[in-house]
Amino acid sequence: MLAYRNGDAAAFEALYGRWRGRLYRYLAHQARDEADELFQDVWMRVVGARAHYEVAAKFSTWLFRIAHNRLMDHFRARGRGIVELVDDPEDDPAERLPTQAEEAPPALLERREAARRILDCLAALPAPQRETFLMAEESGMTLEEIAKAAGVGRETAKSRLRYALDRLRRCLDGLRGTVN
Amino acid sequence: MIERDPQLSEAYRDADHPAPSPVLDAAILDAARRAVAPPRRRRWFAWATPLATTAVLVLGLSMLLRIREEAPENLREALPPPPAIRTESAPAALPDTPAEADAQPTPAAKAIDTAGLPGPAGGATQPAGARSAPGPAPAPASLTPAAASSEDAAAQVVPEPRPFQAPVGSAPQRETLRPAPSAPVAASPGPKQADRLERAVPAADMAREAAPVFSQSRGQPKAASPAAESPEQRVETIRQLLRQGRSEEAKMALEELRRRYPAFDLPEDLRAIRRENSSGH
């Protein structure tokens, strides 16, 4: 990114090639219909912020921080409750009830192929957990970096990730049990 | 340490994920390239340096030409007024014609000319009297056209003299009185320059009075222009001509003196000659 800041366009191409798929998946699994728009917007923000870029964190942390903020703006514009985006539903015992997908795994198994099961389970996760899981899978960041990118504390990020993994396991186990 | 589930990670990686389209990739990469590409205006800036240099040169040259054009005027304004020196003892001879004499620049004028404008110095025509004269009056540059202007100005004050008719058979003398080659001067001054030269007429006249002209070939005193000679100088010249036995020339010079200075009180000896001349006619 420093090379690109200094005018090296090839450096941006390398960065883009390395992160385009991961970022797009991160966005697409959270805002499927507007993924292209959000994806382009995030990269334009990266391009626009190049002049002020300083090595204060890993590029992935900086990139996913931008993507996270853009997603928050998008969700706010779409009228989604800020509580859903920010608060961790796992802190509320009521949120631990099974989701709709978990309640009807046979229907999901019928509609989706095995390779896509995880995506359906992922889509059924609460937004903060899904985002944390996607950050962990796509960026390879540590908990501290995920927490920084998401703008939360480390323990919050850890909790979200743990709940996300638990839900996904239960989701996949339920699907397997249904299939079997 | 981040908590991971290998089975979940494997299932996630094997899933069919969406990917950005090539069109989207191209659009983003193109925008990124354009953001760091040299702006188009830099192409204009490439012309800025030679353009600025050319402009500076043109302006500098025009200013230099203007300064050179106005330098003589500034020099005249800076110099003190010339003293009224009359070299009565300096011998002088009448020129063949007033026009010829008028067209002949004085050494003092040449000195100013060479000082004000670059050109060949008139050292060969610089008379000793003019060099030793204390502070010769400055005269305008390029006296050839200036003489006409100065004479025009003088004609408003004194009657215009008739053209001087050279006596028959005076070719040797004419050769003697032929003006020395002068420094090259402007052939035809513009209106602005002529106006400046007209303003400098008094200084030129006084310079002519103070600086006698010598023949370059024989070293004899050459008559200053009639317009520049004072009546006293003309009287001396006439007396000198009489002593040399050139009575005809003396009479013509006397007539010229009378025409130029009708109010001048002639000395007794010249009055007698004038009376003889009148009675002769």
Side-chain angles (χ1 to χ4, degrees), chain A residues 4 12-13 16 20 24-25 28-29 39-40 47 50 115 118-119 134 136-138 161-162 165 169 172, chain B residues 1-5 8-9 11-12 14-20 24-25 28-29 31-33 35-36:
Chain A
Y4 177 62
F12 180 85
E13 293 177 15
Y16 183 77
R20 61 182 279 277
Y24 192 84
R25 289 192 288 273
H29 289 308
F39 180 74
Q40 186 170 7
V47 169
R50 73 191 184 283
I118 185 71
L119 299 184
L134 288 171
E137 290 295 327
E138 297 294 351
L161 181 60
R162 187 174 65 246
L165 293 176
R169 282 190 205 105
L172 289 178
Chain B
M1 186 66 181
I2 192 168
E3 183 180 358
R4 291 189 181 278
D5 185 326
L8 285 178
S9 296
Y12 179 77
D14 292 340
D16 186 16
H17 295 289
L24 189 58
D25 289 343
I28 291 169
L29 289 174
R33 286 190 206 101
V36 295

Side-chain angles (χ1 to χ4, degrees), chain B residues 39 58 60 63-64 69 74 85 128 149 181 196 231 244:
Chain B
V58 169
M63 287 182 65
L64 181 65
E69 186 181 339
N74 297 335
I85 298 171
S149 300
R196 276 194 233 114
Q244 293 173 358

Side-chain angles (χ1 to χ4, degrees), chain B residues 149-168:
Chain B
S149 300
S150 63
E151 287 308 308
D152 290 345
Q156 297 174 1
V157 180
V158 297
E160 181 69 21
R162 289 186 302 180
F164 193 87
Q165 297 294 331
V168 179

Side-chain angles (χ1 to χ4, degrees), chain A residues 36-169:
Chain A
D36 283 2
E37 179 189 345
L38 294 174
F39 180 74
Q40 186 170 7
D41 200 20
V42 168
W43 282 112
M44 289 303 100
R45 290 188 183 192
V46 170
V47 169
R50 73 191 184 283
H52 309 289
Y53 178 78
E54 296 293 341
V55 187
K58 287 169 64 176
F59 174 75
S60 56
T61 307
W62 184 62
L63 177 66
F64 278 88
R65 176 70 179 172
I66 292 173
H68 166 80
N69 291 337
R70 182 65 188 89
L71 265 177
M72 295 299 107
D73 295 341
H74 170 73
F75 290 151
R76 288 190 190 98
R78 296 289 171 172
R80 291 177 64 171
I82 192 73
V83 175
E84 181 187 358
L85 302 173
V86 177
D87 292 349
D88 193 344
E90 297 296 338
D91 296 338
D92 183 0
E95 295 291 336
R96 300 185 183 184
L97 296 172
T99 62
Q100 191 174 2
E102 289 173 308
E103 288 177 333
L108 288 174
L109 289 173
E110 290 174 1
R111 294 196 315 265
R112 311 203 187 289
E113 300 172 1
R116 297 174 61 184
R117 289 175 188 164
I118 185 71
L119 299 184
D120 292 328
C121 295
L122 183 64
L125 285 179
Q129 294 177 20
R130 183 169 59 243
E131 182 188 36
T132 307
F133 175 82
L134 288 171
M135 278 191 181
E137 290 295 327
E138 297 294 351
S139 70
M141 293 189 291
T142 64
L143 268 179
E144 289 78 9
E145 292 165 346
I146 291 172
K148 191 173 181 180
V152 297
R154 181 184 181 279
E155 291 304 315
T156 302
K158 184 178 180 180
S159 171
R160 287 178 178 176
L161 181 60
R162 187 174 65 246
Y163 285 122
L165 293 176
D166 287 344
R167 283 201 170 191
L168 288 173
R169 282 190 205 105

Side-chain angles (χ1 to χ4, degrees), chain B residues 59-76 112-120 140-142 184 186 192-193 196-197:
Chain B
L59 284 175
L61 282 174
S62 61
M63 287 182 65
L64 181 65
L65 289 174
R66 187 166 180 81
I67 288 171
R68 284 181 58 182
E69 186 181 339
E70 294 184 353
E73 184 180 4
N74 297 335
L75 184 62
R76 284 194 299 273
I112 294 301
D113 188 7
T114 54
L117 289 171
S142 60
K192 191 175 178 182
Q193 193 173 359
R196 276 194 233 114
L197 294 173

Side-chain angles (χ1 to χ4, degrees), chain B residues 28-207:
Chain B
I28 291 169
L29 289 174
D30 187 54
R33 286 190 206 101
R34 276 189 278 110
V36 295
R40 287 183 179 180
R41 57 179 181 166
R42 287 191 181 178
R43 188 174 297 174
W44 186 89
F45 279 131
W47 290 91
T49 302
L51 190 66
T53 306
T54 307
V56 167
L57 283 175
V58 169
L59 284 175
L61 282 174
S62 61
M63 287 182 65
L64 181 65
L65 289 174
R66 187 166 180 81
I67 288 171
R68 284 181 58 182
E69 186 181 339
E70 294 184 353
E73 184 180 4
N74 297 335
L75 184 62
R76 284 194 299 273
E77 291 172 356
L79 286 173
I85 298 171
R86 305 211 169 153
T87 55
E88 294 184 3
S89 61
L94 286 174
D96 290 351
T97 62
E100 185 180 352
D102 290 346
Q104 179 182 1
T106 62
K110 286 180 182 175
I112 294 301
D113 188 7
T114 54
L117 289 171
T125 58
Q126 185 80 4
R131 287 194 206 105
S132 60
S142 60
L143 250 283
T144 302
S149 300
S150 63
E151 287 308 308
D152 290 345
Q156 297 174 1
V157 180
V158 297
E160 181 69 21
R162 289 186 302 180
F164 193 87
Q165 297 294 331
V168 179
S170 61
Q173 184 183 358
R174 190 179 301 159
E175 186 179 357
T176 303
L177 298 177
R178 193 174 300 278
S182 59
V185 293
S188 59
K192 191 175 178 182
Q193 193 173 359
D195 180 55
R196 276 194 233 114
L197 294 173
E198 282 179 7
R199 278 186 275 152
V201 161
D205 288 345
M206 298 185 77

